[in-house]
Amino acid sequence: MEDELVQMQEAGSAAGRRGRGERGGASARRAARTSGQRVQLSYIRRARPPYEVLDEEGLALIEKNADTVLEEIGIEFRDDAEALALWKEAGADVQGERVHFPKGLCRELLKTAPSTFTQHARNPERSVEIGGNATVFAPVYGPPFVRDLDHQRRYATIEDFRNFVKLAYMAPSIHHSGGTVCEPVDIPVNKRHLDMVFSHMRYSDKPFMGSVTAPERAEDTVAMCRILFGDQFVDENTVVINLINANSPMVFDETMLGAAKVYARANQATIITPFILAGAMSPVTVAGTLTQVLAEVLAGAAFTQLVRPGAPVVFGTFASSISMQSGAPTFGTPEPSLVSYGAGQLARRLGLPFRTGGSLTASKVADAQAAYESANTLNSTLLAGTNFVLHSAGWLEGGLVSCFEKFMMDIDQLGMQQRISEPLDLSENGQALDAIREVGPGSHYLGCAHTQANFQTAFYRSNIADNNSFEQWQAEGGKTARQRANEIARQWLASYEAPGLDRGIEEGLQDFIAKKKESMPDAFT
């Protein structure tokens, strides 16, 4: 067996030398891997059906139980008189801030929600479809801390925020610029949303997310979108998507409701997402968690249709478990994957796009734990048929940290997911009968014409992994994956070039931001 491995390695090395040259070829390959000038990939169009864990009987049972929760227990809509009035007018039983829903009311309201929609980017080539068989990867969202390229864990700044936006813009397998890629704490709380939204608009031409931390900040996002895209285009199209979290269990607060109303009225998309740590914010069982998730999404998503029928809305879920010994969140474990699979089925039954998953981990650094947990989460995310994937790259420490090194490592994994989602090549070239004929029994394929014609594109090439011999790895510095990721991030940022933006539009955005900031004193709480 050892002799066979040695022969295989020697033959592979020889083929590489023949096809690409000796040391010069290796240098060229390293340069190609680390260069920021890479061909952008379109959003994924999945070629295979999603994985399903519930049969018809199981789905019907979860739906029946969710209807029971909505009717008997109800959902609280806190500190929002308008929301309560809308529900009462729609026929719900409103008791204080608790809303009880007649069976079928929410599903009836959701008939006006689109099953798919396009989120337009300022570069039309970067627009994405959300729904159907499409999968869109977006970066990490929300951490107050970063782990920077000097290995410091510290509070995030606006410079960190811009750098993450730049990396996401340059990453071929990231289709979306995301939202709060980290929380820039060096800017006042009541003003930082302006700089964050502007950063997405200026340093990337991919689609992006808006602010939801206050209704007026959502209004600012829509106003800035009107400057960027034009009033009429915003009125007629979806240009921003926004995360609306339920305060599980079974509560929507005035902040989330206020932002949801702003975006729905402007015909912009919302992702209604129960934030679940099972065992603390939902039952410990998969079926119980799915029941609560469905009830919360039905109520929140239907509310957007009360505000404006036809407004785009996404069935979201963020499901994790907790350690029953410490209470700490855990990631990459089996049960949240089962929740994702089931929730995806329920979303498709409702005819809504689906959001879940990402590259999640509780690890404190980009180590083996981070890799295993992120891979487990990401694989189940794609298998679940997820349409919008938040936290695809950069998540660390249970969502407290955005990590530059892990961002680059995750990007590499996203590229693999992109490749595995493609249909199998059954063309004449894909069938490779000419290669089989040429080689015949007892030889090898390394030097045949088919291999020579296809070797550059035949297999996915990681820009992080090292597959060379021990001697070559050692000669090149014996670097770990984290070290290679660090180097690539630095090289990408050094070579970054901003996408063009009309000068008048940029000045209009800057003027809007300056006036908004001047209109209010700084607030850090």
Side-chain angles (χ1 to χ4, degrees):
M1 182 64 182
E2 290 181 1
D3 289 343
E4 292 175 356
L5 288 173
V6 170
Q7 290 173 1
M8 185 184 303
Q9 290 169 348
E10 291 177 348
S13 298
R17 290 194 294 271
R18 286 197 301 273
R20 301 181 288 274
E22 293 275 0
R23 293 187 65 84
S27 298
R29 292 195 302 278
R30 284 195 299 273
R33 288 197 303 267
T34 58
S35 169
Q37 305 305 314
R38 304 188 68 183
V39 176
Q40 291 287 334
L41 301 173
S42 173
Y43 61 88
I44 292 174
R45 299 167 178 85
R46 298 186 309 279
R48 279 165 283 283
Y51 182 69
E52 298 185 340
V53 295
L54 291 169
D55 58 16
E56 176 61 33
E57 183 179 357
L59 288 166
L61 177 65
I62 299 298
E63 290 171 337
K64 176 178 177 293
N65 290 345
D67 285 342
T68 298
V69 170
L70 289 170
E71 188 171 21
E72 295 182 9
I73 301 169
I75 307 290
E76 289 195 3
F77 285 72
R78 290 184 179 170
D79 299 318
D80 193 320
E82 182 185 18
L84 297 171
L86 286 170
W87 277 121
K88 188 171 184 178
E89 184 180 353
D93 177 17
V94 179
Q95 300 177 18
E97 294 184 327
R98 185 81 61 94
V99 180
H100 298 262
F101 306 84
K103 184 177 180 180
L105 174 61
C106 293
R107 283 186 174 79
E108 185 64 29
L109 291 169
L110 283 171
K111 289 180 179 178
T112 59
S115 59
T116 64
F117 61 90
T118 298
Q119 184 185 354
H120 294 269
R122 69 177 177 92
N123 177 355
E125 294 182 1
R126 303 283 179 261
S127 297
V128 295
E129 181 179 315
I130 298 177
N133 69 342
T135 294
V136 174
F137 289 138
V140 60
Y141 185 109
F145 299 100
V146 297
R147 185 169 286 277
D148 64 24
L149 293 172
D150 295 319
H151 305 112
Q152 294 182 347
R153 182 190 186 275
R154 55 173 174 76
Y155 281 107
T157 68
I158 190 60
E159 185 63 23
D160 296 316
F161 189 99
R162 292 168 183 150
N163 283 337
F164 276 115
V165 170
K166 291 174 183 179
L167 290 173
Y169 164 68
M170 300 176 79
S173 55
I174 292 280
H175 316 114
H176 199 281
S177 194
T180 308
V181 290
C182 61
E183 190 77 29
V185 300
D186 55 335
I187 299 176
V189 170
N190 59 332
K191 299 179 180 180
R192 66 180 60 153
H193 67 287
L194 299 165
D195 296 271
M196 290 192 288
V197 173
F198 177 77
S199 294
H200 286 298
M201 292 178 168
R202 182 64 194 92
Y203 300 112
S204 177
D205 61 2
K206 295 181 179 181
F208 56 89
M209 302 177 74
S211 177
V212 296
T213 52
E216 58 269 21
R217 296 168 197 168
E219 294 280 8
D220 288 342
T221 301
V222 173
M224 292 174 71
C225 288
R226 293 185 181 279
I227 295 171
L228 182 64
F229 290 96
D231 287 340
Q232 183 176 350
F233 194 86
V234 172
D235 288 339
E236 297 174 355
N237 298 279
T238 300
V239 300
V240 67
I241 190 168
N242 313 278
L243 181 63
I244 305 297
N245 283 125
N247 284 348
S248 302
M250 297 171 285
V251 172
F252 286 93
D253 65 33
E254 71 277 14
T255 300
M256 292 291 99
L257 291 170
K261 287 187 290 186
V262 169
Y263 288 120
R265 287 195 174 109
N267 200 33
Q268 301 306 306
T270 53
I271 309 169
I272 306 299
T273 300
F275 187 90
I276 298 292
L277 298 178
M281 302 160 73
S282 76
V284 295
T285 62
V286 171
T289 295
L290 282 172
T291 294
Q292 183 181 308
V293 164
L294 179 57
E296 291 175 356
V297 171
L298 280 169
F303 177 69
T304 68
Q305 303 306 293
L306 284 181
V307 175
R308 178 167 174 167
V313 63
V314 176
F315 184 126
T317 183
F318 179 95
S320 183
S321 53
I322 63 169
S323 166
M324 300 309 292
Q325 288 70 46
S326 68
T330 57
F331 301 93
T333 54
E335 294 81 12
S337 293
L338 294 172
V339 171
S340 293
Y341 297 140
Q345 290 182 257
L346 294 166
R348 289 186 289 276
R349 297 257 288 194
L350 279 174
L352 295 179
F354 179 54
R355 171 257 160 154
T356 195
S359 299
L360 310 182
T361 180
S363 182
K364 313 308 177 284
V365 294
D367 60 3
Q369 178 185 342
Y372 280 122
E373 292 177 350
S374 293
N376 286 344
T377 309
L378 185 59
N379 288 335
S380 64
T381 296
L382 199 72
L383 288 172
T386 307
N387 301 118
F388 189 83
V389 186
L390 205 52
H391 312 306
S392 293
W395 168 291
L396 203 63
E397 203 177 315
L400 288 175
V401 171
S402 294
C403 175
F404 284 96
E405 290 174 346
K406 186 166 183 291
F407 193 90
M408 304 308 295
M409 296 165 76
D410 289 340
I411 286 170
D412 184 44
Q413 295 300 305
L414 298 182
M416 294 187 190
Q417 296 290 343
Q418 188 110 13
R419 177 64 68 90
I420 205 169
S421 300
E422 296 172 357
L424 295 180
D425 179 7
L426 297 178
S427 67
E428 184 175 341
N429 181 70
Q431 295 172 59
L433 281 174
D434 55 338
I436 299 172
R437 290 189 180 101
E438 178 185 344
V439 172
S443 186
H444 63 74
Y445 289 84
L446 292 171
C448 79
H450 185 271
T451 300
Q452 293 296 308
N454 288 277
F455 78 89
Q456 288 186 318
T457 58
F459 306 121
Y460 179 84
R461 292 189 184 186
S462 169
N463 70 338
I464 298 292
D466 183 283
N467 302 299
N468 296 320
S469 67
F470 173 80
E471 290 76 15
Q472 185 173 347
W473 169 78
Q474 191 175 50
E476 294 179 354
K479 297 171 185 174
T480 65
R482 286 176 59 189
Q483 289 173 316
R484 292 189 291 272
N486 189 299
E487 290 181 358
I488 295 170
R490 292 178 187 274
Q491 291 161 357
W492 280 25
L493 290 172
S495 65
Y496 167 81
E497 295 181 5
L501 179 62
D502 180 87
R503 185 173 179 179
I505 291 176
E506 183 172 0
E507 289 176 349
L509 289 167
Q510 291 174 332
D511 183 60
F512 176 85
I513 291 170
K515 290 179 178 177
K516 290 296 295 188
K517 287 186 174 182
E518 290 171 2
S519 70
M520 51 187 163
D522 292 352
F524 283 91
T525 58

